[in-house]
Amino acid sequence: MLKVPQQQYIKFLYENEDYSISEIAKVMGVNWRTAKKYATKDNWNEPMYRRKKRHPVLGPYLDIIDTWLTEEQALPRKQRYTAKRIFDRLCDEYGFEGGRRTVEEYVAKRRKELKLERAESYEHLEHPGGEAQVDFGTAYVGQPGKLVERKVLTMSFPFSNAAFVFPVRKENTECFLEAMKRIFERIGGVPKKIWFDNLSAAVISIDRDGKRTFTDQFLRFAAHYRFNPEFCNANSGHEKGHVENKVGYGRRNWLVPPPVCDTDTELETYLAQMAESDMDRPHYAKKERIADLWEAERKKLLTMPAVPFEVYRLEPA
């Protein structure tokens, strides 16, 4: 959080020097939203906060409950805790002697707070951990006596800067979903939210009001793996700029000159190894190793379903 003199200087630049929000963000070295927050702030009264209620009986167990409530977010809804189950575990495993009603009230209150925290995190320009962006790129590969074209699906994670890739022959719905499925299986989880452009493998059409019609198979796939799909505005691929950069980075560093892979399986193995070894470098901004950031981020992924999604196309013949 910026100190008060910095906040006031942002306001001064905006009101008296006619700086734009973007110029202020650049001069101050802050996020655009931070610059806008203080540049347009009208109420500078010091906020008054309610004193938090103490929990004399439940206090020693709050961290345990919070941990359980956080961990359950990665599970399907029907497998999450009930307040009674939390109460029973506290009694059985930790010797809790308080009342069940005390636990139920705290669980209900804490769940609302966690929901608000998640909603607020989605308003930031930066992606919170556990979110991904997806896009296709084109690659040329050497195979016996010829140069063949392959499509490479890249799934990037802006928080850690990790990326995973899978090659397919076309950009149709079946190849698109199979590639995502294989990446989910490789990373051992599913991103909570995935950003796409309006690729035809998922979007049939976009109405004038922006409403999209999706392929049935994509909708079933998203429901099966429980991720929340987000789509860029039309002709606005820059809205998922992280994966756009990753597609170009992978092409320049892993596919120039074209690798020689006799089979698609060899290409798949080659690209997986290149993506994995690439994580052994520092993050461009956080200066921590990408692999370490990814290990922390992967804990925020949704759990895999017990039954994998079957990707196929059924046609009359």
Side-chain angles (χ1 to χ4, degrees), residues 64 80 112 151 198 208 286:
I64 298 170
R80 296 178 186 174
K112 288 181 180 179
K151 301 297 181 179
N198 299 288
R208 290 184 178 179
K286 299 176 182 178

Side-chain angles (χ1 to χ4, degrees), residues 147-266:
L147 196 65
V148 299
E149 181 183 282
R150 292 290 181 262
K151 301 297 181 179
V152 178
L153 186 83
T154 299
M155 181 178 292
S156 71
F157 290 80
F159 178 83
S160 63
N161 201 29
F164 301 87
V165 293
F166 191 88
V168 291
R169 296 201 172 196
K170 296 182 179 180
E171 291 187 29
N172 59 27
T173 300
E174 292 74 32
C175 290
F176 168 59
L177 298 182
E178 183 66 23
M180 285 211 296
K181 172 186 170 182
R182 295 290 192 91
I183 292 176
F184 293 162
E185 292 171 349
R186 184 181 302 162
I187 65 180
V190 181
K192 296 177 181 178
K193 180 183 286 190
I194 306 178
W195 294 79
F196 306 90
D197 59 15
N198 299 288
L199 69 175
S200 59
V203 180
I204 297 174
S205 63
I206 306 176
D207 297 337
R208 290 184 178 179
D209 60 0
K211 186 177 180 180
R212 293 169 176 81
T213 301
F214 302 101
T215 63
D216 290 341
Q217 200 169 15
F218 174 76
L219 293 177
R220 288 197 297 271
F221 183 85
H224 187 88
Y225 287 101
R226 302 175 9 255
F227 65 84
N228 179 21
E230 290 283 346
F231 287 84
C232 301
N233 293 314
N235 303 316
S236 301
H238 62 276
E239 294 178 359
K240 55 176 183 54
H242 188 270
V243 74
E244 299 271 356
N245 291 332
K246 274 293 183 185
V247 169
Y249 176 87
R251 183 187 301 114
R252 293 188 300 272
N253 291 275
W254 308 337
L255 296 164
V256 176
V260 177
C261 301
D262 291 344
T263 64
D264 289 351
T265 301
E266 286 186 20

Side-chain angles (χ1 to χ4, degrees), residues 53-77:
K53 292 184 179 180
R54 296 183 178 180
H55 301 272
V57 178
L58 199 58
Y61 308 93
L62 295 182
D63 287 343
I64 298 170
I65 297 174
D66 286 355
T67 299
W68 290 344
L69 293 178
T70 301
E71 290 177 345
E72 73 171 5
Q73 297 303 313
L75 298 172
R77 186 170 179 178

Side-chain angles (χ1 to χ4, degrees), residues 8 24 26 48 59 124 133 136 159 163 170 183 216 281:
Q8 293 174 333
I24 293 173
K26 185 177 181 180
M48 301 292 290
H124 298 165
Q133 298 180 3
F136 271 113
F159 178 83
K170 296 182 179 180
I183 292 176
D216 290 341
R281 62 186 176 90

Side-chain angles (χ1 to χ4, degrees), residues 4-70:
V4 174
Q6 293 173 301
Q7 300 175 19
Q8 293 174 333
Y9 187 58
I10 289 175
K11 185 70 172 178
F12 172 81
L13 292 176
Y14 184 75
E15 295 288 348
N16 300 92
E17 300 296 328
D18 294 329
Y19 275 48
S20 68
I21 302 297
S22 297
E23 290 172 335
I24 293 173
K26 185 177 181 180
V27 169
M28 298 294 292
V30 298
N31 185 282
W32 187 88
R33 286 182 177 269
T34 301
K36 184 176 186 299
K37 174 183 176 182
Y38 295 114
T40 59
K41 184 175 180 179
D42 293 318
N43 185 0
W44 290 80
N45 289 306
E46 187 173 352
M48 301 292 290
Y49 299 102
R50 289 186 179 182
R51 181 178 296 175
K52 293 184 178 180
K53 292 184 179 180
R54 296 183 178 180
H55 301 272
V57 178
L58 199 58
Y61 308 93
L62 295 182
D63 287 343
I64 298 170
I65 297 174
D66 286 355
T67 299
W68 290 344
L69 293 178
T70 301

